[in-house]
Amino acid sequence: MTPLNGPNRGNGVNGPARPEPVIDANLAVALDALLAEHSVTRAAARLHTSPAAMSRTLARLRRILQDPLLVRAGQTMVPTPRAQALRDEAATVVRRLGELLSPGTGVDPAALRSTFTVQAADIVGAALVPGLLELARQEAPGVSLRLRAEELEAQPALRDGRIDLEIGAIDHVDPETQVEELVTLRMVAAVRPGHPLTEKPLTPERLAAAEHIAVSRRGRFTGPLDTALAEHGLQRRVTAVLPSHLAAIALAARSDVVCLLPIALPGAAPSPFTDAATTLGLRLLDVPLPLPPVTIGMAWHPRHAADGAHHWLRDAVRRTVGEPGGVTAV
């Protein structure tokens, strides 16, 4: 029992001091049970305690509220007017206490009114946002998305709360960042229909001789493909570095440049990350060299780990990644 105020002091003028107000969740739960059951025995059974303990609790409530609450009427107990007036309020308080002390993941998506800020590369956004918006329309119509371009360092944005979720190739070393892997992809060469590379089997030599564009938010001209070519004594020429995968795909659709694109592993379901290239009609060619796989994941700050709204967002991302071509009926 935690007093709200200091000790009561009767002044001899206003009469005897009233009992101290108390904050005790157990008393509120017991009051709700007693007023609902009109029986000490049934209230005790409802709360998995003994009738003797419930009888003592009733006596305590009577002292605090200065009202008998339940009185004998033959073989039953009936509520006093004060008890009748308190019944709905007690039930509401107990329900609100239950909501307050329940895990935060127990959220009703339909009741959400949230805007989530998601940081992702443009190709990731193009692949996932249609499915996320469809899920939001079906389950959480009050949810909106704000997409932000990739930063060179996303950790401060997560830590500072400027973004709620990062989706992409996560390379954080910050131990406080929580990371979950979503899907592993492989890199292929994307070219326009009729590109010279589509006329014959693709070899390392023919691939190296083609004109390439690279995608790098850091402006790098080289990457894993250059390392693999170097092991064969080959070197490619990168004529441009773009910060955007979608811009690189669009350029490849209109010229003879080659760009690398992530697609699903052999035997896996088709990946939504190829939707933009498919829309533009690009041909996807297997690279005849061993390239490291690309893992797409999502990262968030621990402050959101138990938040119900954020839990819905993460689950929606998982389902969208697993539903090629977007999400249909749920």
mmCIF file of all heavy atoms in Angstrom, residues 177-217:
data_model
loop_
_atom_site.group_PDB
_atom_site.id
_atom_site.type_symbol
_atom_site.label_atom_id
_atom_site.label_comp_id
_atom_site.label_asym_id
_atom_site.label_seq_id
_atom_site.Cartn_x
_atom_site.Cartn_y
_atom_site.Cartn_z
ATOM 1 N N THR A 177 22.367 -2.059 -31.902
ATOM 2 C CA THR A 177 21.433 -2.180 -33.012
ATOM 3 C C THR A 177 20.977 -3.623 -33.159
ATOM 4 O O THR A 177 21.788 -4.544 -33.178
ATOM 5 C CB THR A 177 22.101 -1.714 -34.321
ATOM 6 O OG1 THR A 177 22.523 -0.361 -34.178
ATOM 7 C CG2 THR A 177 21.127 -1.822 -35.490
ATOM 8 N N GLN A 178 19.680 -3.819 -33.269
ATOM 9 C CA GLN A 178 19.138 -5.157 -33.472
ATOM 10 C C GLN A 178 18.942 -5.390 -34.962
ATOM 11 O O GLN A 178 18.347 -4.555 -35.651
ATOM 12 C CB GLN A 178 17.826 -5.324 -32.705
ATOM 13 C CG GLN A 178 18.014 -5.223 -31.198
ATOM 14 C CD GLN A 178 16.752 -5.554 -30.432
ATOM 15 O OE1 GLN A 178 15.663 -5.191 -30.833
ATOM 16 N NE2 GLN A 178 16.892 -6.249 -29.311
ATOM 17 N N VAL A 179 19.449 -6.504 -35.459
ATOM 18 C CA VAL A 179 19.434 -6.789 -36.894
ATOM 19 C C VAL A 179 18.802 -8.157 -37.116
ATOM 20 O O VAL A 179 19.083 -9.117 -36.390
ATOM 21 C CB VAL A 179 20.861 -6.770 -37.484
ATOM 22 C CG1 VAL A 179 20.820 -7.086 -38.974
ATOM 23 C CG2 VAL A 179 21.515 -5.409 -37.249
ATOM 24 N N GLU A 180 17.966 -8.233 -38.132
ATOM 25 C CA GLU A 180 17.352 -9.507 -38.521
ATOM 26 C C GLU A 180 17.549 -9.705 -40.018
ATOM 27 O O GLU A 180 17.220 -8.831 -40.820
ATOM 28 C CB GLU A 180 15.860 -9.502 -38.191
ATOM 29 C CG GLU A 180 15.138 -10.768 -38.637
ATOM 30 C CD GLU A 180 13.659 -10.747 -38.325
ATOM 31 O OE1 GLU A 180 13.273 -10.086 -37.330
ATOM 32 O OE2 GLU A 180 12.870 -11.360 -39.072
ATOM 33 N N GLU A 181 18.084 -10.853 -40.400
ATOM 34 C CA GLU A 181 18.250 -11.158 -41.817
ATOM 35 C C GLU A 181 16.911 -11.559 -42.423
ATOM 36 O O GLU A 181 16.135 -12.302 -41.818
ATOM 37 C CB GLU A 181 19.271 -12.285 -42.003
ATOM 38 C CG GLU A 181 20.678 -11.899 -41.579
ATOM 39 C CD GLU A 181 21.695 -12.998 -41.828
ATOM 40 O OE1 GLU A 181 21.281 -14.085 -42.309
ATOM 41 O OE2 GLU A 181 22.885 -12.783 -41.562
ATOM 42 N N LEU A 182 16.635 -11.049 -43.621
ATOM 43 C CA LEU A 182 15.358 -11.303 -44.278
ATOM 44 C C LEU A 182 15.479 -12.264 -45.452
ATOM 45 O O LEU A 182 14.695 -13.195 -45.591
ATOM 46 C CB LEU A 182 14.759 -9.978 -44.772
ATOM 47 C CG LEU A 182 14.371 -8.967 -43.693
ATOM 48 C CD1 LEU A 182 14.033 -7.626 -44.333
ATOM 49 C CD2 LEU A 182 13.190 -9.482 -42.881
ATOM 50 N N VAL A 183 16.459 -12.031 -46.337
ATOM 51 C CA VAL A 183 16.588 -12.861 -47.523
ATOM 52 C C VAL A 183 18.016 -12.750 -48.044
ATOM 53 O O VAL A 183 18.666 -11.715 -47.894
ATOM 54 C CB VAL A 183 15.580 -12.408 -48.619
ATOM 55 C CG1 VAL A 183 15.862 -10.989 -49.084
ATOM 56 C CG2 VAL A 183 15.554 -13.372 -49.792
ATOM 57 N N THR A 184 18.505 -13.830 -48.633
ATOM 58 C CA THR A 184 19.828 -13.842 -49.261
ATOM 59 C C THR A 184 19.646 -13.908 -50.774
ATOM 60 O O THR A 184 18.867 -14.729 -51.277
ATOM 61 C CB THR A 184 20.660 -15.036 -48.768
ATOM 62 O OG1 THR A 184 20.838 -14.925 -47.350
ATOM 63 C CG2 THR A 184 22.023 -15.057 -49.433
ATOM 64 N N LEU A 185 20.354 -13.050 -51.472
ATOM 65 C CA LEU A 185 20.219 -12.924 -52.912
ATOM 66 C C LEU A 185 21.570 -13.148 -53.587
ATOM 67 O O LEU A 185 22.604 -13.171 -52.931
ATOM 68 C CB LEU A 185 19.683 -11.529 -53.277
ATOM 69 C CG LEU A 185 18.391 -11.096 -52.567
ATOM 70 C CD1 LEU A 185 18.110 -9.631 -52.828
ATOM 71 C CD2 LEU A 185 17.225 -11.958 -53.024
ATOM 72 N N ARG A 186 21.544 -13.298 -54.901
ATOM 73 C CA ARG A 186 22.776 -13.401 -55.679
ATOM 74 C C ARG A 186 22.767 -12.314 -56.738
ATOM 75 O O ARG A 186 21.714 -11.777 -57.106
ATOM 76 C CB ARG A 186 22.910 -14.783 -56.332
ATOM 77 C CG ARG A 186 21.832 -15.072 -57.372
ATOM 78 C CD ARG A 186 21.881 -16.523 -57.824
ATOM 79 N NE ARG A 186 20.831 -16.830 -58.783
ATOM 80 C CZ ARG A 186 21.002 -16.919 -60.095
ATOM 81 N NH1 ARG A 186 22.214 -16.740 -60.621
ATOM 82 N NH2 ARG A 186 19.995 -17.206 -60.904
ATOM 83 N N MET A 187 23.940 -11.965 -57.239
ATOM 84 C CA MET A 187 24.066 -10.898 -58.219
ATOM 85 C C MET A 187 24.116 -11.475 -59.630
ATOM 86 O O MET A 187 24.797 -12.481 -59.884
ATOM 87 C CB MET A 187 25.317 -10.070 -57.953
ATOM 88 C CG MET A 187 25.371 -9.441 -56.563
ATOM 89 S SD MET A 187 23.953 -8.374 -56.196
ATOM 90 C CE MET A 187 24.298 -6.988 -57.295
ATOM 91 N N VAL A 188 23.391 -10.820 -60.548
ATOM 92 C CA VAL A 188 23.419 -11.194 -61.962
ATOM 93 C C VAL A 188 23.698 -9.930 -62.780
ATOM 94 O O VAL A 188 23.623 -8.809 -62.256
ATOM 95 C CB VAL A 188 22.092 -11.837 -62.418
ATOM 96 C CG1 VAL A 188 21.841 -13.142 -61.679
ATOM 97 C CG2 VAL A 188 20.925 -10.858 -62.218
ATOM 98 N N ALA A 189 23.978 -10.117 -64.044
ATOM 99 C CA ALA A 189 24.210 -8.998 -64.953
ATOM 100 C C ALA A 189 22.891 -8.664 -65.655
ATOM 101 O O ALA A 189 22.259 -9.537 -66.259
ATOM 102 C CB ALA A 189 25.285 -9.348 -65.979
ATOM 103 N N ALA A 190 22.485 -7.419 -65.576
ATOM 104 C CA ALA A 190 21.241 -6.968 -66.212
ATOM 105 C C ALA A 190 21.596 -6.152 -67.452
ATOM 106 O O ALA A 190 22.379 -5.193 -67.379
ATOM 107 C CB ALA A 190 20.422 -6.128 -65.241
ATOM 108 N N VAL A 191 21.019 -6.542 -68.593
ATOM 109 C CA VAL A 191 21.290 -5.853 -69.858
ATOM 110 C C VAL A 191 19.980 -5.711 -70.628
ATOM 111 O O VAL A 191 18.999 -6.401 -70.376
ATOM 112 C CB VAL A 191 22.328 -6.605 -70.710
ATOM 113 C CG1 VAL A 191 23.664 -6.684 -69.998
ATOM 114 C CG2 VAL A 191 21.811 -8.016 -71.051
ATOM 115 N N ARG A 192 19.987 -4.820 -71.618
ATOM 116 C CA ARG A 192 18.795 -4.606 -72.433
ATOM 117 C C ARG A 192 18.587 -5.792 -73.372
ATOM 118 O O ARG A 192 19.536 -6.529 -73.701
ATOM 119 C CB ARG A 192 18.930 -3.327 -73.241
ATOM 120 C CG ARG A 192 20.025 -3.377 -74.293
ATOM 121 C CD ARG A 192 19.950 -2.213 -75.250
ATOM 122 N NE ARG A 192 21.038 -2.280 -76.243
ATOM 123 C CZ ARG A 192 20.990 -3.022 -77.347
ATOM 124 N NH1 ARG A 192 19.936 -3.785 -77.597
ATOM 125 N NH2 ARG A 192 22.005 -3.022 -78.196
ATOM 126 N N PRO A 193 17.361 -5.997 -73.844
ATOM 127 C CA PRO A 193 17.147 -7.025 -74.876
ATOM 128 C C PRO A 193 17.973 -6.697 -76.120
ATOM 129 O O PRO A 193 18.066 -5.536 -76.530
ATOM 130 C CB PRO A 193 15.638 -6.920 -75.164
ATOM 131 C CG PRO A 193 15.052 -6.280 -73.947
ATOM 132 C CD PRO A 193 16.110 -5.354 -73.424
ATOM 133 N N GLY A 194 18.575 -7.687 -76.705
ATOM 134 C CA GLY A 194 19.396 -7.475 -77.886
ATOM 135 C C GLY A 194 20.809 -7.020 -77.592
ATOM 136 O O GLY A 194 21.588 -6.741 -78.528
ATOM 137 N N HIS A 195 21.184 -6.933 -76.332
ATOM 138 C CA HIS A 195 22.556 -6.560 -75.979
ATOM 139 C C HIS A 195 23.527 -7.606 -76.544
ATOM 140 O O HIS A 195 23.213 -8.807 -76.576
ATOM 141 C CB HIS A 195 22.674 -6.483 -74.452
ATOM 142 C CG HIS A 195 23.955 -5.890 -73.960
ATOM 143 N ND1 HIS A 195 25.153 -6.568 -73.994
ATOM 144 C CD2 HIS A 195 24.235 -4.676 -73.424
ATOM 145 C CE1 HIS A 195 26.104 -5.812 -73.487
ATOM 146 N NE2 HIS A 195 25.560 -4.643 -73.136
ATOM 147 N N PRO A 196 24.705 -7.178 -76.983
ATOM 148 C CA PRO A 196 25.672 -8.143 -77.527
ATOM 149 C C PRO A 196 25.973 -9.309 -76.594
ATOM 150 O O PRO A 196 26.268 -10.421 -77.063
ATOM 151 C CB PRO A 196 26.918 -7.286 -77.779
ATOM 152 C CG PRO A 196 26.376 -5.912 -78.029
ATOM 153 C CD PRO A 196 25.178 -5.789 -77.139
ATOM 154 N N LEU A 197 25.893 -9.093 -75.287
ATOM 155 C CA LEU A 197 26.196 -10.189 -74.361
ATOM 156 C C LEU A 197 25.143 -11.291 -74.395
ATOM 157 O O LEU A 197 25.389 -12.400 -73.895
ATOM 158 C CB LEU A 197 26.323 -9.654 -72.923
ATOM 159 C CG LEU A 197 27.556 -8.812 -72.609
ATOM 160 C CD1 LEU A 197 27.571 -8.435 -71.129
ATOM 161 C CD2 LEU A 197 28.840 -9.544 -72.968
ATOM 162 N N THR A 198 23.965 -11.006 -74.969
ATOM 163 C CA THR A 198 22.909 -12.034 -75.022
ATOM 164 C C THR A 198 23.053 -12.930 -76.248
ATOM 165 O O THR A 198 22.316 -13.919 -76.375
ATOM 166 C CB THR A 198 21.520 -11.360 -75.060
ATOM 167 O OG1 THR A 198 21.396 -10.605 -76.288
ATOM 168 C CG2 THR A 198 21.325 -10.429 -73.883
ATOM 169 N N GLU A 199 23.987 -12.616 -77.132
ATOM 170 C CA GLU A 199 24.087 -13.355 -78.390
ATOM 171 C C GLU A 199 24.869 -14.653 -78.265
ATOM 172 O O GLU A 199 24.684 -15.574 -79.072
ATOM 173 C CB GLU A 199 24.732 -12.461 -79.453
ATOM 174 C CG GLU A 199 23.906 -11.217 -79.771
ATOM 175 C CD GLU A 199 24.629 -10.256 -80.699
ATOM 176 O OE1 GLU A 199 25.808 -10.550 -81.040
ATOM 177 O OE2 GLU A 199 24.043 -9.224 -81.064
ATOM 178 N N LYS A 200 25.767 -14.733 -77.297
ATOM 179 C CA LYS A 200 26.587 -15.928 -77.107
ATOM 180 C C LYS A 200 26.654 -16.238 -75.614
ATOM 181 O O LYS A 200 26.324 -15.394 -74.776
ATOM 182 C CB LYS A 200 28.004 -15.700 -77.648
ATOM 183 C CG LYS A 200 28.085 -15.390 -79.136
ATOM 184 C CD LYS A 200 29.535 -15.124 -79.537
ATOM 185 C CE LYS A 200 29.645 -14.751 -81.001
ATOM 186 N NZ LYS A 200 31.055 -14.449 -81.384
ATOM 187 N N PRO A 201 27.105 -17.442 -75.260
ATOM 188 C CA PRO A 201 27.289 -17.755 -73.840
ATOM 189 C C PRO A 201 28.208 -16.731 -73.174
ATOM 190 O O PRO A 201 29.225 -16.315 -73.753
ATOM 191 C CB PRO A 201 27.915 -19.152 -73.858
ATOM 192 C CG PRO A 201 27.437 -19.754 -75.150
ATOM 193 C CD PRO A 201 27.386 -18.614 -76.125
ATOM 194 N N LEU A 202 27.844 -16.335 -71.984
ATOM 195 C CA LEU A 202 28.614 -15.308 -71.282
ATOM 196 C C LEU A 202 29.849 -15.934 -70.636
ATOM 197 O O LEU A 202 29.753 -16.925 -69.900
ATOM 198 C CB LEU A 202 27.733 -14.643 -70.216
ATOM 199 C CG LEU A 202 28.334 -13.430 -69.510
ATOM 200 C CD1 LEU A 202 28.676 -12.328 -70.496
ATOM 201 C CD2 LEU A 202 27.369 -12.909 -68.438
ATOM 202 N N THR A 203 30.997 -15.350 -70.925
ATOM 203 C CA THR A 203 32.275 -15.803 -70.358
ATOM 204 C C THR A 203 32.877 -14.642 -69.563
ATOM 205 O O THR A 203 32.504 -13.476 -69.757
ATOM 206 C CB THR A 203 33.255 -16.221 -71.452
ATOM 207 O OG1 THR A 203 33.575 -15.068 -72.271
ATOM 208 C CG2 THR A 203 32.658 -17.319 -72.334
ATOM 209 N N PRO A 204 33.829 -14.926 -68.668
ATOM 210 C CA PRO A 204 34.486 -13.827 -67.947
ATOM 211 C C PRO A 204 35.101 -12.815 -68.899
ATOM 212 O O PRO A 204 35.064 -11.609 -68.644
ATOM 213 C CB PRO A 204 35.544 -14.550 -67.110
ATOM 214 C CG PRO A 204 34.979 -15.913 -66.882
ATOM 215 C CD PRO A 204 34.259 -16.240 -68.159
ATOM 216 N N GLU A 205 35.678 -13.292 -70.004
ATOM 217 C CA GLU A 205 36.330 -12.382 -70.948
ATOM 218 C C GLU A 205 35.308 -11.454 -71.604
ATOM 219 O O GLU A 205 35.549 -10.250 -71.743
ATOM 220 C CB GLU A 205 37.069 -13.182 -72.025
ATOM 221 C CG GLU A 205 38.309 -13.919 -71.529
ATOM 222 C CD GLU A 205 37.955 -15.188 -70.747
ATOM 223 O OE1 GLU A 205 36.774 -15.631 -70.827
ATOM 224 O OE2 GLU A 205 38.844 -15.722 -70.051
ATOM 225 N N ARG A 206 34.179 -11.998 -72.055
ATOM 226 C CA ARG A 206 33.164 -11.163 -72.694
ATOM 227 C C ARG A 206 32.546 -10.191 -71.684
ATOM 228 O O ARG A 206 32.223 -9.053 -72.025
ATOM 229 C CB ARG A 206 32.079 -12.042 -73.323
ATOM 230 C CG ARG A 206 32.602 -12.935 -74.450
ATOM 231 C CD ARG A 206 31.462 -13.687 -75.133
ATOM 232 N NE ARG A 206 30.629 -12.735 -75.887
ATOM 233 C CZ ARG A 206 29.305 -12.648 -75.759
ATOM 234 N NH1 ARG A 206 28.675 -13.441 -74.898
ATOM 235 N NH2 ARG A 206 28.625 -11.778 -76.478
ATOM 236 N N LEU A 207 32.376 -10.640 -70.451
ATOM 237 C CA LEU A 207 31.816 -9.766 -69.429
ATOM 238 C C LEU A 207 32.769 -8.612 -69.133
ATOM 239 O O LEU A 207 32.346 -7.456 -69.008
ATOM 240 C CB LEU A 207 31.548 -10.566 -68.147
ATOM 241 C CG LEU A 207 30.950 -9.797 -66.969
ATOM 242 C CD1 LEU A 207 29.587 -9.207 -67.329
ATOM 243 C CD2 LEU A 207 30.825 -10.705 -65.738
ATOM 244 N N ALA A 208 34.066 -8.901 -69.034
ATOM 245 C CA ALA A 208 35.051 -7.855 -68.749
ATOM 246 C C ALA A 208 35.150 -6.848 -69.886
ATOM 247 O O ALA A 208 35.416 -5.660 -69.658
ATOM 248 C CB ALA A 208 36.417 -8.486 -68.477
ATOM 249 N N ALA A 209 34.920 -7.291 -71.100
ATOM 250 C CA ALA A 209 35.072 -6.411 -72.255
ATOM 251 C C ALA A 209 33.890 -5.452 -72.413
ATOM 252 O O ALA A 209 33.993 -4.464 -73.150
ATOM 253 C CB ALA A 209 35.229 -7.245 -73.518
ATOM 254 N N ALA A 210 32.769 -5.724 -71.742
ATOM 255 C CA ALA A 210 31.586 -4.870 -71.878
ATOM 256 C C ALA A 210 31.751 -3.586 -71.071
ATOM 257 O O ALA A 210 32.620 -3.466 -70.199
ATOM 258 C CB ALA A 210 30.355 -5.633 -71.418
ATOM 259 N N GLU A 211 30.911 -2.626 -71.380
ATOM 260 C CA GLU A 211 30.912 -1.360 -70.637
ATOM 261 C C GLU A 211 30.008 -1.518 -69.418
ATOM 262 O O GLU A 211 28.873 -1.977 -69.530
ATOM 263 C CB GLU A 211 30.393 -0.229 -71.526
ATOM 264 C CG GLU A 211 30.363 1.127 -70.838
ATOM 265 C CD GLU A 211 29.783 2.208 -71.733
ATOM 266 O OE1 GLU A 211 29.579 1.945 -72.942
ATOM 267 O OE2 GLU A 211 29.514 3.315 -71.230
ATOM 268 N N HIS A 212 30.524 -1.099 -68.253
ATOM 269 C CA HIS A 212 29.790 -1.315 -67.005
ATOM 270 C C HIS A 212 29.441 0.010 -66.325
ATOM 271 O O HIS A 212 30.137 1.022 -66.484
ATOM 272 C CB HIS A 212 30.631 -2.145 -66.028
ATOM 273 C CG HIS A 212 30.830 -3.559 -66.449
ATOM 274 N ND1 HIS A 212 30.171 -4.619 -65.876
ATOM 275 C CD2 HIS A 212 31.624 -4.108 -67.424
ATOM 276 C CE1 HIS A 212 30.540 -5.747 -66.445
ATOM 277 N NE2 HIS A 212 31.437 -5.463 -67.385
ATOM 278 N N ILE A 213 28.369 -0.036 -65.539
ATOM 279 C CA ILE A 213 28.072 1.032 -64.585
ATOM 280 C C ILE A 213 27.983 0.391 -63.207
ATOM 281 O O ILE A 213 27.576 -0.768 -63.060
ATOM 282 C CB ILE A 213 26.764 1.780 -64.911
ATOM 283 C CG1 ILE A 213 25.600 0.806 -65.058
ATOM 284 C CG2 ILE A 213 26.922 2.642 -66.145
ATOM 285 C CD1 ILE A 213 24.254 1.508 -65.224
ATOM 286 N N ALA A 214 28.388 1.140 -62.205
ATOM 287 C CA ALA A 214 28.376 0.640 -60.826
ATOM 288 C C ALA A 214 27.376 1.452 -60.003
ATOM 289 O O ALA A 214 27.083 2.611 -60.315
ATOM 290 C CB ALA A 214 29.771 0.730 -60.209
ATOM 291 N N VAL A 215 26.879 0.823 -58.970
ATOM 292 C CA VAL A 215 25.977 1.495 -58.029
ATOM 293 C C VAL A 215 26.664 1.514 -56.674
ATOM 294 O O VAL A 215 27.020 0.462 -56.131
ATOM 295 C CB VAL A 215 24.617 0.785 -57.927
ATOM 296 C CG1 VAL A 215 23.729 1.494 -56.900
ATOM 297 C CG2 VAL A 215 23.936 0.735 -59.279
ATOM 298 N N SER A 216 26.895 2.702 -56.150
ATOM 299 C CA SER A 216 27.572 2.826 -54.863
ATOM 300 C C SER A 216 27.178 4.148 -54.217
ATOM 301 O O SER A 216 27.333 5.204 -54.838
ATOM 302 C CB SER A 216 29.094 2.758 -55.037
ATOM 303 O OG SER A 216 29.744 3.081 -53.809
ATOM 304 N N ARG A 217 26.694 4.085 -53.001
ATOM 305 C CA ARG A 217 26.368 5.340 -52.312
ATOM 306 C C ARG A 217 27.646 6.042 -51.852
ATOM 307 O O ARG A 217 27.603 7.220 -51.509
ATOM 308 C CB ARG A 217 25.443 5.060 -51.124
ATOM 309 C CG ARG A 217 25.990 4.071 -50.108
ATOM 310 C CD ARG A 217 25.017 3.875 -48.961
ATOM 311 N NE ARG A 217 25.432 2.791 -48.085
ATOM 312 C CZ ARG A 217 24.897 2.544 -46.888
ATOM 313 N NH1 ARG A 217 23.938 3.318 -46.445
ATOM 314 N NH2 ARG A 217 25.321 1.542 -46.162
#
